[in-house]
Amino acid sequence: MAADARDQLSGVTSAAPVPVPLADAAGLRDTPQPLISHGCWYPSADPTGEQVAFICDRTGVPQLWTGPVGGTEIHLLDADPDPVTEVAWSPDGRWIAYTVAPGGGELTRVLCVRPDGTGRRIVAGADAGSSAYLGCWTRDGSAVAVTVAEPPPPVPGHSAVRQDPAVAPDHEAVFADLPAGWAERDGPATLLGGARRGDVGPSVSGVPPAGPDGRGSGLFPRDGFVLPVGAPDGAAARWSPDGDGPAGETTDGPAGQGASGLDGAPRDRLTAYLVDPDGLRSPVLVAAESGAATLRVCDVSEDGRFALVRRGPRGRREAVVVRTADLGTGSVLRVGDGDPWIGRFSPDGRTLWLRSDHERQFAALLAAGLGEDGGRLGLSVLAEREDCDLELLAFAEDGRTAALAWNVRGATELQTLRLPPEGAVPGGAATGTTPPRDVPLPHEVVTRITRAGPGGIVLALSGSQRRPGVWRVPPGALSARTPWSSRDEDAVPPGRPPVRPVPLRPVARDGLHLGGWYYRAPGRDAGRPAPCVIHLHGGPEEQERPVFDPLYHELLGRGLDVFAPDVRGSSGWGRSFVDADLGTGRFAAIDDVADCAAHVVLTGRADPTRLAVMGRSYGGYLTLASLVWHPQLFRTGVAVCGMSDFATFFEGTEPWIAESAAHKYGHPVRDRDLLRALSPMSRVDELRVPLLAVHGEHDTNVPPGESEQMVRAARDRGLAAELLTLLDEGHDFRRADNRRLFRRTAADWMQRHLGA
């Protein structure tokens, strides 16, 4: 349906990026001697499919490389030490765009370079304090989409979170007039916080739902934090968590609540532009969003009339069809978290192919018919599976063939599917589809798919027996490893082969089935209980996958088993499982860790007297929480970049991360009591065992102070506690020497305290 007439582009925008010339990259230099084993990932092919740009850490830092899919002569295109995180070769072959993280921190910028290493320039994110990341290229390669995030202007005396209870809004007043059922969702989860007055947003169905007054101004749970694509100046999006439509009224300018963040402070500005790397044409504004930095342009139709934009905070992502002529919204549909490349327009622009979990537990391939205004005419399911997600979606050069990567309990099953003919979808039911074709995989997990010439695709593959590598899949042929990717036998030093994990399905104390992978140390008698490290992934929405992890190998080489579980809140097990840790459900997630430890003990795998817990990011938080909620269970813990106190985390993190995190953990003001109860620092007196904390010095996602205060509190209580700070690292550790130091320090600590 057509968007509401009020739905015009927000005036809250970041400054348009201006290309900044740099010195030419090294380009075509001799290939340096690689590390004994290295990883190659995030490939993007040129128009012929014969050359690939990719990220490789063979120098010790993830950098931009190019090379032929069938040859060995690869070239380093940018010798700067800043880690590279994304790569996209233009459809016309003239430019390679890539995202870098200066100093290894959280702020990023987008660069372009020609395939021969000349013409290098910053196209977005050059301004101090700003950040930028990649969107798609236009079909003709004339412009690349970028999203620019600028922090709000400073307000004297204003902090990210109000610390004085006297100035906090009265809880009863905030929730006094909310409609019945405002905190309900499709599943067992309870949402946090409350709706804000004066918010408006586009309807997914095209028809605004009725509110308490019956006039279509219904309120929905949680703070919006989102400016609608095409909203009036000063308006903020009020979107339904179930994708059912708008609520509230339009604010009257920057003084309205839509212009403020968590507690009334100015909010971050995110703006998406199409930028000409040659600098001959001015940037073209596509979309804007405020807070919860997820805005990304995923595709532009061949005729340029529509742009596909992903927006919204974690757990509430939306796909939006934007009319480029007037920046109005054509249609909106819910999409899941995970890979941001959510879909593509058909060649004629009349159909949108979309990876979406709209009205379903697991993401599937949907086909949405589009009208002349971008409104949705019909919706069909082209490919779905009953109990697993469509995790990755890509398209061959002809736009008629889709590559589908299904997440089957952590491993990938890959298929190709011929899409229905143009014009077959707008009436509602998709016709003319053929059965998908299975593509055999030599390893367990596909992490990226990209088109490579007529009918071909290129894969980034990982698995329990190998380092990340790039593989080519020609039309109708088996996949073949690129010669410059590591060989499987080079994954680890000779004499210690990688361990292939086995899947486990623990059952939580409330009956919820969990998942995970168990790694047995080489040479250990299967009937002998082993010292075991429970390793917890981040997110919380990440998922444990059967891929080679050098940290696990380091622990296994010391005689320690590893169990890597998926507790509630993890992805890959359906929407209800992801949302099962919301609100007070996070206490159950903490108990899940103990239940996973009990499972490996009761099944005879692990020694109950030699258990440890470890994790990074949210897994670091869960590590600290497990140590203080279950103090007698573990003999030690290693917390990496973990939150120890939600109040100080919200105060110190990046503003847009705070806004996104509030949707997952709770509002730092309204849910203050819950967040205090969930904070490990609130129970630090229960800590009984030695603790190692690890943090990157430039981490602005979870500031280093979160580790520092926990270590200081442990020492004050007479416990052994150490802090390892990694230089030139942010929230992710990207440099080989630092990763090696981290692995060895953590393994030494575990071996010392578990007596392996």
Side-chain angles (χ1 to χ4, degrees):
M1 300 294 177
D4 190 284
R6 296 171 299 175
D7 196 16
Q8 302 299 314
L9 184 73
S10 167
V12 182
T13 59
S14 303
V18 177
V20 178
L22 299 173
D24 285 346
L28 304 183
R29 55 186 262 167
D30 292 337
T31 302
Q33 182 67 29
L35 300 173
I36 294 175
S37 57
H38 60 272
C40 300
W41 63 96
Y42 216 105
S44 183
D46 76 346
T48 69
E50 297 301 319
Q51 296 284 327
V52 177
F54 57 97
I55 301 173
C56 183
D57 63 358
R58 62 195 297 139
T59 63
V61 180
Q63 292 174 305
L64 176 66
W65 294 74
T66 61
V69 294
T72 59
E73 187 180 354
I74 63 174
H75 305 288
L76 178 64
L77 274 196
D78 191 337
D80 283 354
D82 294 334
V84 176
T85 60
E86 299 174 303
V87 181
W89 206 316
S90 67
D92 61 4
R94 297 174 54 244
W95 291 101
I96 299 172
Y98 57 110
T99 303
V100 301
E106 304 309 306
L107 301 181
T108 57
R109 59 181 50 160
V110 176
L111 283 74
C112 277
V113 67
R114 297 194 184 278
D116 63 357
T118 63
R120 191 169 64 115
R121 59 200 59 190
I122 302 172
V123 295
D127 296 333
S130 69
S131 189
Y133 50 93
L134 266 175
C136 66
W137 284 93
T138 55
R139 302 290 178 94
D140 62 0
S142 63
V144 62
V146 297
T147 297
V148 181
E150 292 184 0
V155 177
H158 201 295
S159 63
V161 178
R162 290 189 178 109
Q163 298 300 307
D164 182 1
V167 299
D170 178 71
H171 189 277
E172 294 301 324
V174 169
F175 296 106
D177 59 350
L178 295 176
W182 69 269
E184 295 175 359
R185 191 193 187 285
D186 54 335
T190 299
L191 299 182
L192 308 175
R196 289 188 294 177
R197 318 303 188 269
D199 289 347
V200 64
S203 170
V204 170
S205 63
V207 180
D213 58 2
R215 294 180 296 176
S217 59
L219 296 171
F220 293 94
R222 296 195 178 195
D223 293 306
F225 302 145
V226 183
L227 281 176
V229 178
D233 291 358
R238 175 76 252 127
W239 38 266
S240 158
D242 290 319
D244 290 332
E249 302 296 337
T250 304
T251 56
D252 294 323
Q257 296 206 36
S260 62
L262 289 175
D263 63 344
R267 300 167 61 195
D268 300 292
R269 299 174 296 175
L270 289 93
T271 312
Y273 290 92
L274 296 176
V275 179
D276 173 14
D278 292 301
L280 302 178
R281 287 168 291 185
S282 299
V284 176
L285 183 63
V286 176
E289 181 181 33
S290 186
T294 62
L295 187 69
R296 189 183 295 254
V297 181
C298 300
D299 192 29
V300 177
S301 63
E302 198 163 309
D303 60 11
R305 291 191 304 127
F306 300 133
L308 173 62
V309 174
R310 189 195 74 161
R311 71 169 183 199
R314 59 204 289 183
R316 300 294 180 268
R317 311 280 196 227
E318 292 177 330
V320 184
V321 175
V322 178
R323 297 187 299 271
T324 56
D326 62 0
L327 299 179
T329 299
S331 55
V332 183
L333 201 68
R334 177 191 164 100
V335 293
D337 291 329
D339 187 72
W341 304 107
I342 55 175
R344 185 175 173 86
F345 294 105
S346 64
D348 65 357
R350 296 169 59 190
T351 304
L352 172 63
W353 318 116
L354 195 66
R355 179 182 63 82
S356 170
D357 61 358
H358 173 69
E359 296 183 345
R360 58 187 56 246
Q361 279 287 328
F362 294 94
L365 175 59
L366 306 183
L370 301 178
E372 289 300 314
D373 64 352
R376 177 155 53 91
L377 301 179
L379 190 66
S380 300
V381 179
L382 294 188
E384 64 179 336
R385 294 199 178 182
E386 184 177 349
D387 59 352
C388 62
D389 275 312
L390 177 59
E391 183 177 32
L392 300 174
L393 174 64
F395 300 86
E397 195 67 37
D398 60 5
R400 308 302 314 165
T401 304
L404 315 175
W406 300 95
N407 180 343
V408 183
R409 295 175 294 280
T412 299
E413 292 184 6
L414 182 64
Q415 295 180 320
T416 58
L417 176 70
R418 189 67 178 171
L419 297 171
E422 296 181 38
V425 175
T431 60
T433 56
T434 58
R437 181 179 70 88
D438 294 336
V439 179
L441 294 174
H443 294 284
E444 291 99 324
V445 179
V446 175
T447 60
R448 182 163 170 79
I449 311 171
T450 186
R451 60 185 180 273
I457 57 175
V458 169
L459 307 175
L461 266 178
S462 194
S464 59
Q465 307 297 110
R466 68 157 296 106
R467 298 273 183 165
V470 176
W471 297 63
R472 183 187 189 188
V473 186
L478 295 176
S479 55
R481 180 182 63 86
T482 53
W484 29 266
S485 293
S486 283
R487 302 175 302 169
D488 293 355
E489 55 267 32
D490 293 333
V492 295
R496 282 198 311 189
V499 172
R500 188 180 294 276
V502 296
L504 297 182
R505 292 301 307 272
V507 179
R509 62 192 64 186
D510 61 359
L512 183 65
H513 285 263
L514 311 174
W517 298 86
Y518 195 90
Y519 298 75
R520 189 73 166 171
R524 185 177 298 280
D525 183 354
R528 179 184 170 197
C532 181
V533 177
I534 308 296
H535 187 275
L536 306 166
H537 64 67
E541 304 93 338
E542 292 177 16
Q543 182 186 13
E544 190 63 36
R545 312 300 294 271
V547 297
F548 179 79
D549 189 322
L551 170 64
Y552 293 178
H553 184 74
E554 186 78 38
L555 295 170
L556 294 164
R558 308 292 184 96
L560 304 171
D561 285 9
V562 176
F563 180 42
D566 288 325
V567 301
R568 69 191 69 203
S570 305
S571 61
W573 304 95
R575 280 175 61 185
S576 292
F577 193 88
V578 171
D579 283 347
D581 66 344
L582 295 181
T584 56
R586 199 158 310 283
F587 292 110
I590 297 170
D591 285 340
D592 286 348
V593 180
D595 294 341
C596 288
H599 180 81
V600 294
V601 168
L602 294 174
T603 56
R605 293 177 171 87
D607 182 345
T609 67
R610 293 193 291 174
L611 294 174
V613 62
M614 178 180 183
R616 193 192 74 82
S617 191
Y618 177 74
Y621 158 77
L622 268 189
T623 294
L624 297 174
S626 298
L627 292 177
V628 298
W629 259 271
H630 303 285
Q632 307 302 327
L633 184 57
F634 301 105
R635 285 179 60 169
T636 189
V638 177
V640 185
C641 301
M643 301 92 74
S644 61
D645 188 310
F646 280 111
T648 54
F649 161 71
F650 275 109
E651 186 175 51
T653 189
E654 298 283 355
W656 59 83
I657 294 175
E659 298 211 20
S660 182
H663 289 267
K664 190 66 183 178
Y665 304 122
H667 193 284
V669 176
R670 289 193 295 272
D671 301 305
R672 178 185 300 157
D673 291 342
L674 174 63
L675 292 178
R676 182 184 298 115
L678 285 166
S679 296
M681 281 296 293
S682 299
R683 295 176 58 95
V684 70
D685 287 337
E686 300 298 320
L687 187 64
R688 298 285 185 272
V689 297
L691 171 68
L692 171 65
V694 184
H695 228 106
E697 69 165 337
H698 299 315
D699 190 350
T700 57
N701 184 329
V702 178
E706 293 299 300
S707 288
E708 294 167 1
Q709 63 191 7
M710 195 71 184
V711 168
R712 187 163 50 247
R715 288 176 175 174
D716 289 345
R717 287 156 179 79
L719 299 172
E722 301 292 340
L723 173 61
L724 171 64
T725 300
L726 298 178
L727 304 182
D728 298 319
E729 297 287 4
H731 195 60
D732 295 302
F733 305 155
R734 297 187 172 103
R735 304 179 189 278
D737 53 347
N738 280 331
R739 296 198 305 269
R740 190 180 305 111
L741 174 61
F742 158 59
R743 292 195 304 268
R744 293 177 178 175
T745 302
D748 287 345
W749 183 273
M750 291 294 189
Q751 191 173 19
R752 183 187 323 147
H753 292 286
L754 293 184

